[in-house]
Every structure is written in C-alpha cells, then in structure tokens.
Amino acid sequence: LKQHQGVVYEAREAAVAMSCRGSTPGVQNFKVVLFMAVLVDVWLLLRFAETNVSCLGRTAGRPGACSRIRWQPKYRPRRRNIKPSTPPVDSQESVWSAWARRLASYSWLHIERCGVDKALLATVQEELCRLEGVLVPGEIRHSDTSHRQDRILTLQTRPPDSKQDIPGLLQLARELESFVLRLCQELPCCMGLPYLRITGRFEPMLACYDPGSHYLPHTDSDGSDGRVLTAIYYLNADWHETLGGALRLHGTHNGSFIDFTPKEDSLVLFMAEHVVHEVRPPKATRWALSIWFTGYMEGESISDPK
C-alpha cells in the first residue's frame, strides 16, 4: 500500500514541477497537468482494486509487519479439454502395480507402448531384413500344416552359443526379460489374488507371418513344460488395423474375444496354459519376439521345466 501511495505522490510532484517550469499561462498548464495526474491516480486505484496484495513473511524484530509486497493479477481459470492418454491409476498405486493387478485379475495384459529406445528399434529392423532368409517353418503338431503357418528362429542368448551378428535383437530380448521380471515383482502386492513365481525362461523366439498366413486357436503350454507366462513384443513399424494380423485372445469375457493390433513397441502378456489365442492373417509381413517364462502359481507345486 505504501508503494502505491508513493507512486501517486511522485506523479503529483512531477505535475507541480512541470507547471512551475511552464510558459506565461502557468495556471493553465498547472490545471492540465494536474488533471493528468488525477487520471493517473484514478487508473492506479482501479488497478489496485483488480490485484491481490500478499504479505510474505515477517520483518525481523517487527512481528506482523510485511517484509515484502507482491502484486498478483486475479486468477481467471481457463477451460481445458484433457483426454487421458493412459488408463486411470489409483493415486496410491504405481503404474507397475496397476499392470500387475490387471495381469493377476484377467490373466492377460496389453501395454500399448513399452518405451524401448527408437535407435535400438531401428537397429532391430535392419537385423530382421538379414534374418528373413534363415527362418524355418514353425513346429507342426500331427503334420497339420493348416494349423500353423509362421516361420521362426530361436535366438541363442547364452554364451558361447549366442549369435554375435544380431546385437540389437539380443539387447531387446534382455530388456524385455528385465521388463517382465520387474512387473512380476509387483504380483505379490495384489492381495487376495493368485500370482506368479518366475523361476526361469525359454530362449526368445522370433516369429514372422507372411501375408495370408495364420496360427489357429491354441494354448502355448499343456502344463508339462513349466511355461506359465507368455510375453509377445511386436516389431511392426507403421502398422494399423487395416493390415490385419491381430492377436486374438478367446474367452476373455462371457465367451467373447479381444483383438490386439501388432504395433511396434507394444507388448502382450498372458498365462501360457490357460489363455486360448490365435494369430489372424495379416496383409503384410508381421514380426514378433516371444519369450516364455517358467515358474508356478502360488500354492501349486513347482514343475520341472524339463
């Protein structure tokens, strides 16, 4: 308030000084300048009425005195249309815990973007072009070629058998494994729900589906090989729904199904023994990296992976 009064006082003093230095009709000049000073005074009063004066702190030795005066314009809220980019998460629950709870509740989890480094994904795309000629047909049960039509390559990640000419895919497999293990650490926090104990993994498998190929409905494990969790990471840049090739999970709700578009950097997790799934025919070459994790459900006996 003292600062405000000082500004008005200085304006008046300046007006008087200007009138004293004026020409012969000094009275007339004084009236004009004084009128201008009054307008400035009114403007400052109106400006003061539209601001909030906040007193910050106390002056040492003078309780209750203002140590600083700050002028703030009145707050006028703006309308904002906010569209959530991720599903809502409880304020007391981390994203990892929310993912783990969904996996434990529904036996599957879809993550649209994992956040893998783009430079690494570009390196992987170059390696896929070199590996396309060494892929072999997927394992076929009962010699039924109509059941499964993909081409695969098992990536040896453990030395000394690991391939040295695909560093991008090996790095991606390590990051995917770390991602899943970090997620599984949150599963015991899902109170009242069954959760996994991960004890190991199979070697990663690279799968390629040519246009028109498919994989009919099946489960990844019958319970005899120790596989409990399937992780599928997709490597298809600029993929959209019109290209087909969706991963379809059956029996998700009241006997229905749900489709997941195999977009690059997306990840699908599901229980290997219980979730029936299939691969729909794509219209372009479709790539995926799969890792199966071994373990057991809490409360069940540990099965031998061999």
Side-chain angles (χ1 to χ4, degrees), residues 146-147 149 209-217 239-248 259 262 278-286:
S146 63
H147 183 76
Q149 298 176 339
Y209 287 83
D210 297 316
S213 59
H214 63 264
Y215 199 152
L216 296 182
W239 196 275
H240 46 85
E241 294 181 358
T242 58
L243 293 177
L247 174 69
R248 175 170 293 181
D259 288 343
E278 65 173 304
V279 176
R280 306 294 296 169
K283 297 180 181 179
T285 303
R286 175 190 187 276

Side-chain angles (χ1 to χ4, degrees), residues 211-266:
S213 59
H214 63 264
Y215 199 152
L216 296 182
H218 65 283
T219 58
D220 285 345
S221 175
D222 58 2
S224 61
D225 55 4
R227 291 186 292 178
V228 293
L229 182 66
T230 298
I232 306 178
Y233 181 85
Y234 292 105
L235 303 166
N236 308 295
D238 302 323
W239 196 275
H240 46 85
E241 294 181 358
T242 58
L243 293 177
L247 174 69
R248 175 170 293 181
L249 304 186
H250 292 271
T252 56
H253 181 68
N254 294 332
S256 61
F257 60 83
I258 185 171
D259 288 343
F260 298 114
T261 304
K263 295 181 180 180
E264 185 181 48
D265 199 31
S266 63

Side-chain angles (χ1 to χ4, degrees), residues 4 6 18 27 34 40 64 87 91 115 123 138 142 145 153 252 255 264 266 285 304-305:
H4 169 69
M18 290 175 61
V27 177
L34 183 59
V40 173
S91 58
T123 302
H142 310 296
T145 57
L153 175 66
T252 56
E264 185 181 48
S266 63
T285 303
D304 184 0

Side-chain angles (χ1 to χ4, degrees), residues 126-147:
E126 296 176 358
E127 296 173 355
L128 293 180
C129 297
R130 299 199 308 264
L131 293 176
E132 190 169 0
V134 299
L135 300 177
V136 298
E139 181 181 354
I140 301 172
R141 298 178 181 178
H142 310 296
S143 301
D144 186 4
T145 57
S146 63
H147 183 76

Side-chain angles (χ1 to χ4, degrees), residues 31-137:
K31 291 182 179 180
V32 174
V33 177
L34 183 59
F35 178 72
M36 295 175 61
V38 172
L39 291 180
V40 173
D41 193 5
V42 173
W43 178 78
L44 289 174
L45 288 174
L46 293 176
R47 186 68 181 271
F48 177 75
E50 293 182 358
T51 56
N52 298 324
V53 181
S54 60
C55 181
L56 306 177
R58 297 174 180 267
T59 303
R62 297 176 57 190
C66 292
S67 61
R68 180 182 176 187
I69 296 179
R70 183 174 60 184
W71 300 79
Q72 298 177 343
K74 292 181 66 176
Y75 173 72
R76 295 180 177 87
R78 297 180 178 178
R79 285 188 174 183
R80 299 181 61 189
N81 296 325
I82 302 177
K83 296 181 179 180
S85 57
T86 56
V89 179
D90 187 3
S91 58
Q92 302 296 327
E93 189 177 34
S94 68
V95 174
W96 290 98
S97 299
W99 285 342
R101 180 171 292 276
R102 175 173 288 275
L103 177 61
S105 301
Y106 301 104
S107 297
W108 61 266
L109 172 67
H110 175 238
I111 301 176
E112 189 171 358
R113 287 190 62 85
C114 296
V116 175
D117 184 67
K118 292 184 178 180
L120 176 59
L121 291 177
T123 302
V124 170
Q125 291 295 333
E126 296 176 358
E127 296 173 355
L128 293 180
C129 297
R130 299 199 308 264
L131 293 176
E132 190 169 0
V134 299
L135 300 177
V136 298

Side-chain angles (χ1 to χ4, degrees), residues 177-194:
E177 179 182 6
S178 299
F179 188 94
V180 174
L181 293 179
R182 171 67 180 84
L183 176 64
C184 291
Q185 290 178 359
E186 298 291 335
L187 289 174
C189 300
C190 301
M191 300 303 296
L193 297 172

